């Protein structure tokens, strides 16, 4: 929010210094008082931010009140400067000035072009129009034919004067020429110039467009080619002599055609705006052409200055008071100013490009990165599960081998059991047979027993060997040689004879010899605890059974483990399939994003090219237009001169 800046300017007095007026306006600092014999009169004291006495020239007023508006206008802010005051108080002098003391308009024009030329990083397009509001009619001062122009309004342009001529200008001289042309046109159509000028408002308008130069505007990460458009109004108002009273007192004067509606409404608008926030109510901008056109400058989006010009003479005291009251109210108004930026197609494109870039970054930074991370993680998971699967497969193989080994062992054990069973049967059978033989040749059951054991050859059996010892038979009882055929290494009587070199042993003598205490061969029941065949078989069978049981148990456990592993393997296989699908899907998405990006980039390139073409076209058109314009202006001047000449030239008598 920004307050309207208001300054009061006194023009030099026209009354003679010897006039005997007892009342005088006195200025001390920024306070103005009407004094009677140096004593302030109550109700006639005012204070302002800026008061300019008659000694100060236009340059000071410009520097203090206007320069900031001009600078802001170049930067894209709307700006308006009004000159308000009664007729002959110095409004036109303040706005236009003289040759020696150029006014605000020429100073502003000079300043604008100076600044533009110094601003190398932006390019400017300046259009100028000059209009007059007289009797609530808008006339174009640059084109004589354009009278009574209508005001239009639309969303895009806001309020605008339809059909007004806008000159594109490139230097200060050109603008000053146009101003001159406007003044001439004003004079041209009016016989009583003074009466008209005191009742008309002139608005000199400059539209300043700018954007960053191309090399800057195409920087990747900025949107500098947004076009700034600002409107600068320099307004010389109609004389406020009657309106001041109207505005101050809110009285609606009915003066027929002399009522200046625009100025009256301006007073009302200022009154309303100065009331501030809540009491404000409806602001009657639409009630007059002037307030409608200048709406942004009044409580809207514009930096605004009002120069209230006053005449110091005693005769104008009341008018001056009215002007000061108006100024007091106006300084309470606040405007809300902001840069006017228009996004061109190129700027829009750039913004979109940046947005896409941003999205892409976000996609790379988040979504795509996340996707890639997910992809990576899933690949890792897949890899892990493959490793796990391999490990399980190896374990499975080992288990399988172990199982085969166990099964093999079981088979062996079963074979052995079978053998054992067979042996047991055959042992019974041979035992039965040998018992028959023993009956014939008195073979002891022990022999059969040992034979049986020899045949069995079970490593588990801790049995004495068959050739361990042979008990010498008692000769008394044995009629035939008791020595079995296979007892080859057992000494017999013949051997003894041969060993005794033919000496026949007196066996009787032997018998005479007191019998040696022969240690009796331990009987199977007493000294050598040899289990019986059945017992051994049973024991062996038992052990084998136990073994078999253990092996079966192990086998069961292995089977269980195997099925578990197989289950895990299946789950992993399923997971792998899922992960492969995910990876494919993600890869598809990435491809899609890539192709979209390609399309957008292509479109951008195309639009860029189109924009450059358009710019070129516009430049070409402007040049052609300026040339034609120059030609037309000179043609116009010539034709005018010709008309003047024709008018003044004496008409030759017709012969
Ligand atoms: P307005 O436009 O308000 O009717 P003008 O600007 O035409 O008044 O001023 C009336 C007369 O006063 C002009 O002759 C002008 O030259 C003169 N004048 C006004 N202000 C000043 C000033 N500050 N210094 C010198 N002369 C001035
Ligand atoms: Mg004037």
């Amino acid at each position: 929010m920004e307050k309207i800046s208001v300054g009061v300017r006194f023009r030099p007095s026209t009354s003679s210094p010897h006039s005997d007026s007892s009342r005088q306006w006195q200025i001390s600092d920024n306070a103005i008082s009407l004094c009677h014999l140096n004593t302030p009169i109550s109700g006639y004291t005012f204070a302002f931010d800026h008061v300019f006495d008659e000694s100060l020239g236009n340059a000071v007023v410009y520097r203090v009140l206007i320069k900031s508006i001009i600078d802001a206008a170049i930067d894209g802010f709307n700006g308006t400067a009004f000159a308000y005051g009664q007729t002959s108080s110095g409004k036109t002098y303040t706005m236009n000035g003289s040759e020696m003391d150029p006014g605000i308009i020429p100073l502003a024009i000079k300043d604008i072009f100076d600044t533009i030329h110094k601003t190398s990083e932006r390019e400017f397009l300046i259009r100028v129009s000059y209009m007059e509001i007289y009797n609530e009619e808008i006339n174009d001062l640059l084109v004589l034919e354009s009278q009574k122009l209508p005001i239009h309004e639309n969303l895009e342009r806001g309020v605008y004067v339809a059909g007004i001529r806008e000159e594109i200008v490139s230097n200060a001289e050109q603008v000053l020429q146009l101003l001159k042309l406007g003044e001439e046109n004003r004079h041209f159509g009016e016989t009583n110039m003074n009466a008209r000028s005191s009742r008309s408002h002139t608005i000199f308008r400059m539209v300043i467009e700018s954007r960053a130069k191309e090399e800057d505007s195409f920087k990747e990460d900025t949107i500098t080619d947004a076009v700034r458009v600002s409107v600068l109004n320099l307004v010389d108002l109609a004389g406020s002599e009657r309106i001041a009273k109207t505005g101050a007192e809110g009285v609606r004067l009915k003066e027929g055609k002399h009522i200046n509606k625009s100025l009256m409404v301006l007073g009302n608008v200022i009154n309303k705006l100065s009331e501030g926030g809540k009491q404000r109510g409806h602001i009657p901008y639409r009630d007059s052409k002037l307030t409608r056109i200048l709406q942004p400058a009044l409580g809207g989006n514009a930096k605004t200055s009002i120069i209230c010009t006053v005449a110091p003479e005693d005769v104008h005291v009341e008018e001056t008071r009215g002007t000061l009251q108006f100024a007091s109210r106006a300084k309470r108004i606040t405007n809300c100013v902001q840069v006017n930026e228009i996004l061109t197609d190129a700027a829009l494109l750039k913004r979109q490009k940046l947005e896409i870039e941003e999205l892409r970054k976000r996609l790379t930074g988040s979504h795509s990165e996340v996707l890639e991370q997910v992809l990576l993680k899933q690949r890792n998971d897949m890899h892990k599960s493959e490793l796990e699967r391999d490990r399980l497969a190896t374990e499975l193989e080992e288990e399988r081998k172990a199982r085969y080994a166990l099964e093999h062992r079981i088979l062996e054990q079963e074979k052995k059991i079978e053998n054992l069973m067979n042996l047991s049967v055959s042992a019974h059978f041979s035992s039965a047979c040998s018992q028959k033989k023993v009956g014939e040749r008195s073979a002891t059951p022990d022999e059969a027993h040992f034979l049986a054991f020899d045949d069995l050859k079970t490593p588990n059996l801790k049995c004495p060997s068959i050739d361990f010892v042979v008990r010498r038979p008692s000769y008394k009882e044995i009629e035939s040689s008791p020595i079995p055929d296979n007892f080859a290494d057992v000494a017999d009587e013949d051997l003894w004879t041969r060993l005794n070199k033919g000496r026949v042993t007196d066996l009787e003598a032997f018998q005479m010899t007191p019998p040696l205490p022969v240690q009796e061969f331990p009987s199977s029941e007493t000294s050598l605890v040899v289990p019986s065949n059945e017992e051994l078989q049973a024991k062996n069978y038992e052990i084998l059974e136990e073994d078999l049981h253990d092996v079966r148990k192990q086998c069961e456990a292995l089977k269980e483990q195997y099925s578990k592993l197989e289950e895990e393997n299946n789950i992993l296989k399923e997971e792998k399939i899922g992960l492969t699908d995910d990876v494919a899907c993600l890869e598809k998405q990435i491809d899609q994003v890539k192709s979209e990006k390609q399309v957008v980039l292509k479109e951008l390139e195309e639009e860029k090219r189109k924009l450059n073409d358009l710019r070129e076209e516009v430049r070409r058109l402007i040049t052609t237009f300026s040339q034609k314009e120059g030609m037309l202006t000179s043609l116009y001047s010539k034709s005018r001169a010709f008309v003047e000449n024709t008018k003044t030239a004496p008409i030759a008598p017709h012969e």
Side-chain angles (χ1 to χ4, degrees):
M1 297 295 269
E2 197 169 297
K3 280 217 180 300
I4 285 187
S5 149
V6 181
V8 176
R9 185 182 196 192
F10 280 86
R11 70 153 164 73
S13 174
T14 51
S15 53
S16 83
H18 307 292
S19 65
D20 52 355
S21 166
S22 55
R23 292 189 303 177
Q24 235 182 342
W25 290 100
Q26 282 186 5
I27 303 166
S28 98
D29 293 332
N30 285 336
I32 304 168
S33 318
L34 180 69
C35 300
H36 178 63
L37 301 170
N38 285 333
T39 311
I41 302 168
S42 93
Y44 286 81
T45 299
F46 302 88
F48 298 98
D49 292 337
H50 311 285
V51 180
F52 306 94
D53 64 27
E54 67 277 7
S55 67
L56 298 172
N58 285 326
V60 179
V61 179
Y62 176 78
R63 199 180 61 242
V64 175
L65 271 184
I66 312 296
K67 176 126 177 63
S68 60
I69 294 180
I70 303 301
D71 291 343
I74 295 168
D75 287 340
F77 294 92
N78 291 337
T80 302
F82 293 98
Y84 179 96
Q86 69 175 104
T87 301
S88 87
S89 59
K91 297 182 297 296
T92 307
Y93 184 87
T94 303
M95 296 313 281
N96 296 354
S98 64
E99 239 174 73
M100 297 299 291
D101 186 17
I104 280 162
I105 294 175
L107 288 174
I109 292 167
K110 193 178 167 295
D111 217 5
I112 286 169
F113 283 100
D114 283 353
T115 313
I116 283 174
H117 290 139
K118 278 184 222 154
T119 314
S120 55
E121 69 278 6
R122 295 185 77 78
E123 51 188 3
F124 289 84
L125 179 75
I126 299 184
R127 290 174 280 148
V128 165
S129 57
Y130 196 18
M131 70 190 94
E132 175 196 57
I133 302 171
Y134 181 60
N135 279 340
E136 282 303 281
E137 284 166 1
I138 301 167
N139 302 317
D140 190 340
L141 291 178
L142 297 183
V143 185
L144 265 181
E145 297 77 41
S146 294
Q147 303 287 307
K148 302 181 186 177
L149 297 173
I151 290 178
H152 285 179
E153 190 170 0
N154 68 26
L155 270 177
E156 204 186 316
R157 292 180 64 183
V159 178
Y160 64 97
V161 178
I164 192 130
R165 177 175 171 184
E166 279 190 330
E167 282 289 317
I168 295 170
V169 288
S170 53
N171 56 58
E173 287 66 43
Q174 224 180 326
V175 189
L176 294 174
Q177 277 292 321
L178 287 168
L179 265 176
K180 210 170 145 202
L181 177 72
E183 288 305 313
E184 281 174 11
N185 285 344
R186 205 173 174 193
H187 285 282
F188 196 72
E190 185 62 50
T191 41
N192 186 356
M193 181 55 212
N194 288 338
R196 177 170 172 146
S197 74
S198 69
R199 294 204 298 273
S200 70
H201 316 277
T202 57
I203 303 171
F204 173 72
R205 174 173 275 196
M206 288 178 97
V207 180
I208 304 170
E209 280 187 33
S210 76
R211 78 165 148 242
K213 281 192 176 157
E214 223 160 76
E215 59 270 24
D216 295 325
S217 71
F218 280 100
K219 274 179 193 163
E220 276 304 302
D221 53 346
T222 48
I223 310 169
T224 48
D225 58 345
V227 177
R228 290 180 192 161
V229 187
S230 55
V231 180
L232 175 70
N233 296 302
L234 302 174
V235 189
D236 185 355
L237 291 168
S240 59
E241 42 279 4
R242 294 180 195 113
I243 306 305
K245 286 173 191 154
T246 322
E249 292 152 22
V251 179
R252 213 166 205 271
L253 292 182
K254 295 194 175 175
E255 290 186 11
K257 64 176 183 173
H258 296 297
I259 293 175
N260 190 317
K261 192 177 174 192
S262 277
L263 202 55
M264 190 183 76
V265 175
L266 176 69
N268 290 342
V269 166
I270 298 280
N271 274 350
K272 287 268 183 187
L273 287 172
S274 65
E275 279 168 7
K278 284 172 187 170
Q279 301 96 43
R280 249 188 209 179
H282 168 70
I283 315 286
Y285 293 112
R286 299 179 75 87
D287 288 1
S288 81
K289 300 254 161 85
L290 179 78
T291 48
R292 230 179 140 193
I293 293 172
L294 298 177
Q295 182 173 339
L298 302 160
N301 174 24
K303 281 177 175 277
T304 303
S305 283
I306 302 180
I307 307 152
C308 292
T309 55
V310 286
E313 294 85 13
D314 189 39
V315 64
H316 297 306
V317 160
E318 285 313 307
E319 297 297 345
T320 300
R321 187 187 181 209
T323 303
L324 294 177
Q325 283 172 335
F326 174 89
S328 297
R329 284 192 300 274
K331 72 177 185 180
R332 291 205 290 267
I333 299 172
T334 48
N335 282 357
C336 184
V337 194
Q338 63 195 46
V339 180
N340 303 303
E341 274 193 338
I342 294 173
L343 282 178
T344 58
D345 286 352
L348 263 176
L349 267 175
K350 185 174 272 185
R351 181 162 289 180
Q352 279 168 358
K353 193 183 164 190
L354 284 176
E355 276 172 8
I356 290 167
E357 198 57 36
E358 178 66 21
L359 277 172
R360 206 176 66 82
K361 267 186 199 161
R362 273 169 54 194
L363 205 67
T364 344
S366 61
H367 186 54
S368 166
E369 205 170 81
V370 166
L371 284 183
E372 272 169 28
Q373 273 178 5
V374 170
L375 202 74
L376 210 71
K377 195 178 165 292
Q378 287 185 339
R379 270 193 194 138
N380 276 346
D381 288 353
M382 204 164 77
H383 188 62
K384 263 189 213 163
S385 61
E386 273 174 356
L387 284 176
E388 184 68 14
R389 200 189 55 189
D390 288 351
R391 190 183 62 77
L392 286 172
T394 326
E395 268 182 29
L396 207 69
E397 193 53 39
E398 275 169 16
E399 297 291 339
R400 214 176 267 156
K401 273 184 193 165
R403 194 180 141 197
Y404 285 144
L406 270 171
E407 278 175 354
H408 187 69
R409 230 177 112 193
I410 293 166
L411 273 176
E412 268 185 1
Q413 300 289 357
E414 278 174 350
K415 253 188 196 169
K416 276 179 190 170
I417 293 164
E418 212 175 300
N419 283 346
L420 204 64
M421 301 284 278
N422 290 342
L423 273 173
S424 149
V425 173
S426 65
H428 277 286
F429 179 71
S430 64
S431 163
C433 291
S434 58
Q435 267 175 5
K436 265 189 194 170
K437 273 188 186 172
V438 167
E440 284 168 16
R441 57 177 198 107
S442 312
T444 60
D446 291 343
E447 284 171 0
H449 171 79
F450 283 119
L451 276 169
F453 268 91
D454 194 25
D455 277 351
L456 192 66
K457 284 179 187 161
T458 307
N460 291 346
L461 288 172
K462 306 278 188 283
C463 300
S465 165
I466 190 109
D467 52 1
F468 164 58
V469 70
V470 171
R471 194 167 58 164
R472 198 169 178 87
S474 124
Y475 289 99
K476 282 179 190 168
E477 292 169 17
I478 301 167
E479 289 169 6
S480 58
S481 171
I483 303 167
D485 293 340
N486 53 347
F487 283 8
D489 50 349
V490 177
D492 58 9
E493 283 178 0
D494 294 338
L495 184 66
W496 279 109
T497 312
R498 266 180 274 132
L499 284 171
N500 291 321
K501 296 171 182 168
R503 199 177 143 212
V504 180
T505 312
D506 188 355
L507 287 175
E508 292 307 315
F510 270 107
Q511 281 182 342
M512 294 298 286
T513 312
L516 284 168
V518 176
Q519 191 185 349
E520 270 204 37
F521 194 85
S523 76
S524 60
E525 294 83 9
T526 54
S527 54
L528 181 65
V529 188
V530 178
S532 73
N533 204 6
E534 282 77 15
E535 272 175 354
L536 278 168
Q537 275 179 10
K539 216 174 192 180
N540 205 9
Y541 191 74
E542 216 171 81
I543 292 164
L544 282 169
E545 278 279 315
E546 268 172 24
D547 260 8
L548 189 65
H549 184 70
D550 285 352
V551 168
R552 271 194 187 128
K553 257 192 182 169
Q554 281 180 31
C555 206
E556 285 301 315
L558 276 171
K559 265 184 190 168
E560 232 170 67
Q561 212 174 335
Y562 180 78
S563 59
K564 261 187 200 166
L565 284 171
E566 242 171 5
E567 255 173 42
E568 274 181 42
N569 197 16
N570 285 340
I571 291 168
L572 283 171
K573 267 183 194 164
E574 271 170 28
E575 267 180 26
K576 191 193 165 187
I577 291 165
L579 286 171
T580 318
D581 286 352
D582 282 358
V583 167
C585 188
L586 288 170
E587 271 168 356
K588 245 188 207 172
Q589 277 183 23
I590 286 169
D591 284 348
Q592 208 177 327
V593 168
K594 271 182 190 164
S595 63
E596 272 173 23
K597 188 188 145 193
Q598 284 298 328
V599 172
V600 170
L601 282 176
K602 253 188 202 168
E603 279 175 13
L604 272 174
E605 280 307 315
E606 181 61 21
E607 292 298 332
K608 222 178 188 177
R609 196 186 54 72
K610 275 188 196 164
L611 182 80
N612 282 339
D613 289 353
L614 263 173
R615 273 193 185 148
E616 204 44 54
E617 182 91 26
V618 168
R619 261 189 218 125
R620 217 161 30 75
L621 277 171
I622 288 170
T623 321
T624 321
F625 190 73
S626 307
Q627 282 168 356
K628 285 197 176 155
E629 203 61 32
M631 280 166 60
L632 276 171
T633 315
S634 71
L635 204 68
Y636 174 71
S637 312
K638 273 181 199 166
S639 58
R640 266 195 65 195
F642 179 74
V643 169
E644 290 296 324
N645 284 343
T646 324
K647 270 186 190 166
T648 50
I651 300 162
H654 195 68
E655 286 182 21

